[in-house]
Amino acid sequence: MEEITSWEGIEDDEFFKQFFGGECKKTDINQVLSVAQQINKLGQAIDILNAELQKQVLANHEDLLSQATWVEKLEGVLSIMQSHVQSLLSAVERLRGKIIDPFHRIETQTVVLARLHETSDLLRRVARMQHLSKRLYSQMTNNVQGPDIIKAANSLHELEQLMMDTDLNGLDVIADDQQAVKAHRTTVQRIATHTLAQGLCTMDRIKVSTAVQVFQNLGIVKGAVDNVMDSALLEIEKIATESLDVTLTTNQDIGKRGAPGRAAIPSPGSSGNLRTRIWENLERLFQDTLYTQCLQIELLQRILLEYHAKELDELSQKFWNKVNDLLSKVLVERAQGSSFVKQALEGEYPKFLRIFLDLSKRLKERSQNIGIYNINHNVLSPFENAYLSRSVSRLLDPVHTMFSGEGLPTQDEIDSLIRTVTNELSVSLVDDGLSTVVARNVGKAIRLFCLKCEQGLLMGGEASQVIDSPTTVQQTNVSLANLLYYLSSQISRVVVNLSAGLPSDGSTVISVALKETDTLTKNILSPLLASISDAIESIILTMHDDPEFRDPSSPLGKEINCSLYMRELQGFILRSVNTFLVPYKNQTVVVECCKTVASRCIELFVRHACLLRPLTDFGKAKLIVDFSQMEVAVAPLCRGGQLGSSEQQQYRTLRALKALLPLSPEETVQKVLDGAGESGVPRSLVLLHLFSTAPPELVSPHQSASWSVGRLSQWMDKHPNERDRLSFCSGPLERYQLTVRQHNLPSFHPLFPLMKKLANLDDH
């Protein structure tokens, strides 16, 4: 065991750390040292501490003596302060005795005074209550015309305030008055309720105003209004249920309350009149019951607003919403409970809608706020959807039926469809929204008819041939087109006849659908007109085989007639129109389509007339005659209407080029460059025409490219841009210029500079 020599050793020793609260080793030091050793260590520590204490006392004895002196002085000061505190406590006790006693006396007197005030106020209230009770009694009994319920309500209101503010229960002196107040309140409330009911029934504004004032004074105006609404809704529900009860006898007055036992099963033979009776009942329900109840509620709302009952300013709107909800419930329940009622409401939905609309219109005419009484489609939608479903079936079924057989539909079948369309549109005129939806269904029927016709179309060579007489296939297509035209014209007439009532949206929907008949007719005509156009182009191409255009031996004085190809063209167009196009009854569409054929015919004629080469003076004179005859040739295609813009442009080009043919090349080029008279003749055509009198070394553009005239025509169809055409025509001119320079020829042909001017792209 180590010996401890200083107080620092005590701190570091594991044995003493347990006395200092320090951490010891895991092994308990007390178990290692014996008791004698522990006592020895404690003795050593005590000796060390005593020695250290003596050392500290010797070192600091002056400071310790000074502190001991100050302690004695502090004890003397504390003794003086204790005597002062005792004096202060004695003074506080004396002051407390002077304050508490007066306070208790004042507190007692205050309680007495408060009780006196309460007693006095209670006596005043009792006296006021007795006075009001006597006045209330007088108001309830002494009036010759009956109780003055307005004044009585004022008195009751004041009495209730008195009883509400103070607990008066248990006072024998006013017990009888309290009972009388309760009785009078019941009487006044009953009279006011009866007055309100009478006032609403007779639309008497004074009575309603009186009742409202009474209820407001009684503080039960909201409850009274709720009772009125509930009563009105119960009445409406009862009458609505009875109106759709097919078991009611036909002679029962639906508008009145039936006595018990009045309902009965319809007698034999009366079921035929039940539908009529149901509609009469619904008419009375809407035009009498609902109309009257809504007006009564609106009168009540106006009077409530006069009394500043702002919380009830939407009374009419709330009532109307509840009426619609109630009607929706009753109508659906009665329709589910009776197939007869369901068939009546769904099958004759427009009649039901008209009744509803008439009610809304009448209410809006009488209402100050027309936005209240709008139709709630939740009431109508179940029956509207069923009706529209049946309506579209009635419109589509005839179309399916007429195309179900092998042959084409007959005119009688189409007339039946037209009658159905007329009937559906006519009965839907009660409402613009319904008319528009039915018009969409009519549009579906028209589109279905067009689809069926399109499926029946016959295509192929027999449908587009224009050489022989019309084939069976072509006659079938003509019949389909005529059926389309008949349907379109008849439905258009129906729309015109109903234009006064049919909304513009509905008319537009049908008009858009009818345009599909014209589109399908154009599709039927398209291959036929394409064949006619091809045949016209083939005939026009034969002008290049006519020797009279290039025969220099033909004298100018010879009589000039139109060319053979022109006669053939005139005969073909006339025969095609009379044979293949006249049978189509929709001549408006035929003429519209023929305008494109006429425009193409003129365009090809002008193009190939400019490609004739060589062209003698006689040939030029003959060509001028052909220009005049071209107008005669296309006349059958342009009958019955004004030409379109593109056709008019082709006509202007035809006539302008005809005017340029007699001129010299110099005059022709000058007029084209000057744009005299806005001739509208493209430069490329004039340039091609000048090649007709050019020397052989100045070859034509198609010859330079080793093309045929037909191929050049196809290229021009694909390149309508004038710059492309002029660029194509410039190639032969540049090669000619190169040839002249290579051969050192003295000059160019006189046409060359003129043609270069026309071909100059910078001037275009």
Side-chain angles (χ1 to χ4, degrees):
M1 182 180 64
E2 296 180 0
E3 186 175 354
I4 300 172
T5 59
S6 65
W7 62 269
E8 289 88 352
I10 297 175
E11 290 181 345
D12 297 334
D13 191 272
E14 293 295 332
F15 173 74
F16 291 108
K17 284 184 179 180
Q18 60 183 325
F19 299 105
F20 302 150
E23 296 182 357
C24 299
K25 292 182 179 180
K26 294 182 180 179
T27 304
D28 191 353
I29 192 64
N30 295 328
Q31 296 178 0
V32 176
L33 299 176
S34 64
V35 175
Q37 290 175 337
Q38 293 179 14
I39 293 173
N40 187 25
K41 288 180 72 69
L42 289 173
Q44 292 177 5
I46 292 171
D47 294 339
I48 291 171
L49 290 175
N50 287 332
E52 184 67 25
L53 183 60
Q54 291 176 1
K55 182 180 177 180
Q56 291 294 332
V57 170
L58 290 174
N60 300 293
H61 67 279
E62 293 181 358
D63 294 334
L64 293 174
L65 289 174
S66 175
Q67 291 179 3
T69 303
W70 280 106
V71 169
E72 292 178 357
K73 293 180 179 180
L74 181 60
E75 288 179 351
V77 171
L78 289 176
S79 177
I80 296 171
M81 290 300 299
Q82 184 177 8
S83 63
H84 290 172
V85 169
Q86 291 295 330
S87 299
L88 179 61
L89 289 175
S90 299
V92 168
E93 286 296 330
R94 290 193 299 270
L95 182 60
R96 180 181 179 186
K98 294 179 180 180
I99 293 175
I100 290 178
D101 291 340
F103 170 76
H104 286 309
R105 289 195 298 272
I106 292 173
E107 184 178 29
T108 302
Q109 292 175 359
T110 301
V111 171
V112 173
L113 182 61
R115 291 174 179 174
L116 288 174
H117 278 296
E118 291 178 0
T119 304
S120 176
D121 182 66
L122 181 60
L123 292 174
R124 284 196 301 270
R125 290 176 180 274
V126 169
R128 179 61 180 170
M129 184 175 178
Q130 290 178 335
H131 172 72
L132 290 175
S133 298
K134 293 179 180 179
R135 188 172 69 182
L136 176 61
Y137 177 78
S138 175
Q139 292 166 349
M140 295 294 294
T141 57
N142 294 338
N143 195 338
V144 178
Q145 298 179 351
D148 189 346
I149 58 175
I150 295 179
K151 293 181 179 180
N154 289 332
S155 300
L156 284 170
H157 177 69
E158 188 174 352
L159 282 167
E160 289 176 348
Q161 289 296 324
L162 288 172
M163 290 187 292
M164 186 184 302
D165 295 341
T166 305
D167 185 9
L168 301 178
N169 294 327
L171 295 178
D172 296 338
V173 68
I174 59 171
D176 294 339
D177 293 332
Q178 288 178 324
Q179 293 296 326
V181 167
K182 292 180 181 179
H184 291 322
R185 177 185 174 84
T186 302
T187 303
V188 169
Q189 186 173 341
R190 176 177 52 79
I191 295 174
T193 302
H194 180 70
T195 302
L196 179 60
Q198 279 189 334
L200 292 176
C201 185
T202 60
M203 299 298 289
D204 189 334
R205 186 183 185 87
I206 296 177
K207 288 186 176 181
V208 175
S209 179
T210 299
V212 168
Q213 187 174 356
V214 171
F215 287 129
Q216 192 171 34
N217 290 336
L218 294 178
I220 58 171
V221 63
K222 188 177 185 306
V225 171
D226 291 341
N227 290 336
V228 171
M229 288 184 60
D230 293 342
S231 177
L233 292 172
L234 288 174
E235 181 71 13
I236 292 172
E237 182 177 11
K238 175 183 178 299
I239 296 178
T241 303
E242 292 178 352
S243 298
L244 297 174
D245 190 354
V246 296
T247 63
L248 290 175
T249 56
T250 57
N251 60 354
Q252 183 176 348
D253 187 357
I254 301 301
K256 298 180 180 179
R257 297 179 181 272
R262 293 291 297 278
I265 302 299
S267 59
S270 64
S271 59
N273 297 324
L274 281 179
R275 187 182 295 270
T276 302
R277 173 57 63 180
I278 286 177
W279 288 113
E280 290 176 352
N281 293 343
L282 285 175
E283 190 83 26
R284 284 195 294 270
L285 170 65
F286 279 82
Q287 301 306 324
D288 293 341
T289 305
L290 290 178
Y291 177 73
T292 302
Q293 296 288 358
C294 288
L295 288 185
Q296 291 176 359
I297 296 298
E298 186 158 346
L299 172 62
L300 180 59
Q301 176 179 319
R302 288 199 298 268
I303 294 175
L304 287 170
L305 291 177
E306 292 177 1
Y307 287 94
H308 307 289
K310 297 296 184 181
E311 69 278 5
L312 301 171
D313 58 347
E314 296 183 356
L315 181 63
S316 295
Q317 182 66 67
K318 293 177 181 177
F319 180 72
W320 179 249
N321 293 338
K322 290 184 178 181
V323 167
N324 280 280
D325 294 341
L326 177 61
L327 287 175
S328 178
K329 183 191 73 169
V330 172
L331 291 171
V332 170
E333 289 178 353
R334 302 309 296 173
Q336 292 175 348
S338 171
S339 59
F340 189 85
V341 174
K342 183 177 182 181
Q343 292 174 1
L345 293 176
E346 293 179 354
E348 299 183 65
Y349 168 75
K351 183 185 292 187
F352 176 52
L353 176 60
R354 178 189 58 78
I355 294 174
F356 210 155
L357 290 171
D358 289 345
L359 170 63
S360 177
K361 181 179 179 181
R362 289 182 65 194
L363 290 173
K364 289 180 179 180
E365 290 174 352
R366 292 288 299 271
S367 175
Q368 296 178 355
N369 185 0
I370 60 175
I372 293 177
Y373 302 105
N374 293 322
I375 298 297
N376 187 339
H377 286 279
N378 291 332
V379 182
L380 306 172
S381 58
F383 312 106
E384 182 181 37
N385 294 336
Y387 172 79
L388 292 176
S389 177
R390 295 182 181 181
S391 174
V392 73
S393 297
R394 287 192 293 268
L395 291 167
L396 298 182
D397 289 346
V399 180
H400 288 294
T401 302
M402 67 176 68
F403 283 96
S404 60
E406 296 182 357
L408 297 179
T410 64
Q411 187 168 320
D412 291 339
E413 290 175 325
I414 297 179
D415 288 338
S416 176
L417 174 62
I418 299 300
R419 286 192 293 272
T420 303
V421 169
T422 304
N423 181 65
E424 293 296 323
L425 289 175
S426 298
V427 298
S428 70
L429 296 181
V430 296
D431 179 60
D432 289 350
L434 180 63
S435 297
T436 302
V437 177
V438 172
R440 293 195 189 103
N441 293 341
V442 173
K444 293 178 183 178
I446 296 172
R447 292 186 180 90
L448 178 62
F449 188 90
C450 293
L451 178 61
K452 295 291 186 180
C453 289
E454 186 175 9
Q455 293 172 350
L457 286 179
L458 301 175
M459 296 300 180
E462 292 188 9
S464 59
Q465 69 85 26
V466 290
I467 305 302
D468 297 329
S469 299
T471 63
T472 304
V473 171
Q474 289 175 323
Q475 291 174 354
T476 300
N477 290 344
V478 169
S479 299
L480 286 172
N482 290 340
L483 290 176
L484 288 168
Y485 175 69
Y486 182 74
L487 176 72
S488 176
S489 60
Q490 294 300 314
I491 291 183
S492 297
R493 188 179 66 178
V494 170
V495 172
V496 171
N497 293 336
L498 299 177
S499 59
L502 191 65
S504 58
D505 290 343
S507 300
T508 302
V509 168
I510 297 177
S511 299
V512 171
L514 289 177
K515 289 181 180 178
E516 296 191 13
T517 62
D518 293 342
T519 301
L520 184 54
T521 301
K522 291 178 182 178
N523 294 338
I524 297 173
L525 288 169
S526 179
L528 182 63
L529 294 176
S531 296
I532 294 175
S533 294
D534 293 342
I536 289 174
E537 185 172 8
S538 299
I539 294 172
I540 291 176
L541 277 172
T542 61
M543 74 164 59
H544 297 282
D545 301 329
D546 192 340
E548 291 188 349
F549 287 117
R550 58 180 64 90
D551 187 2
S553 62
S554 298
L556 285 175
K558 180 182 177 181
E559 182 181 358
I560 301 175
N561 297 317
C562 69
S563 304
L564 292 177
Y565 78 89
M566 182 57 66
R567 293 176 184 173
E568 183 183 1
L569 180 63
Q570 291 175 349
F572 172 75
I573 291 177
L574 183 61
R575 184 181 67 84
S576 297
V577 170
N578 292 334
T579 303
F580 297 100
L581 301 180
V582 167
Y584 287 90
K585 294 182 179 180
N586 192 353
Q587 286 299 306
T588 302
V589 172
V590 172
V591 170
E592 182 180 351
C593 295
C594 286
K595 289 177 183 179
T596 304
V597 179
S599 175
R600 176 66 175 169
C601 179
I602 297 172
E603 180 184 13
L604 290 172
F605 171 73
V606 171
R607 178 184 301 171
H608 288 282
C610 293
L611 291 173
L612 284 172
R613 183 175 182 179
L615 185 64
T616 63
D617 292 339
F618 179 80
K620 186 180 292 186
K622 190 175 182 63
L623 189 59
I624 292 174
V625 174
D626 290 345
F627 266 77
S628 300
Q629 291 298 318
M630 174 52 66
E631 297 187 28
V632 178
V634 298
L637 295 171
C638 303
R639 68 193 189 281
Q642 186 69 25
L643 293 175
S645 58
S646 61
E647 293 78 13
Q648 290 177 353
Q649 178 62 35
Q650 296 298 337
Y651 259 108
R652 285 195 294 268
T653 302
L654 175 70
R655 292 171 181 172
L657 189 56
K658 176 184 175 183
L660 293 176
L661 288 177
L663 303 179
S664 64
E666 292 80 3
E667 293 174 333
T668 300
V669 172
Q670 190 62 39
K671 280 187 173 294
V672 173
L673 293 178
D674 293 343
E678 297 294 333
S679 63
V681 181
R683 282 191 189 187
S684 59
L685 288 179
V686 178
L687 186 57
L688 290 173
H689 172 63
L690 292 179
F691 276 103
S692 64
T693 56
E697 58 270 15
L698 186 55
V699 297
S700 297
H702 65 283
Q703 294 172 340
S704 176
S706 300
W707 289 355
S708 65
V709 176
R711 184 174 178 182
L712 176 61
S713 180
Q714 294 175 358
W715 182 90
M716 295 180 72
D717 288 336
K718 295 178 181 178
H719 297 80
N721 187 274
E722 187 67 9
R723 291 183 65 87
D724 294 340
R725 294 182 177 184
L726 289 175
S727 178
F728 181 75
C729 294
S730 298
L733 297 178
E734 293 175 357
R735 281 190 289 272
Y736 170 74
Q737 184 179 10
L738 182 61
T739 300
V740 170
R741 289 177 178 174
Q742 288 176 348
H743 292 81
N744 293 322
L745 297 178
S747 63
F748 295 104
H749 190 276
L751 282 176
F752 178 74
L754 298 175
M755 297 171 73
K756 286 290 289 184
K757 288 182 179 179
L758 288 177
N760 189 354
L761 296 177
D762 295 335
D763 295 339
H764 184 66

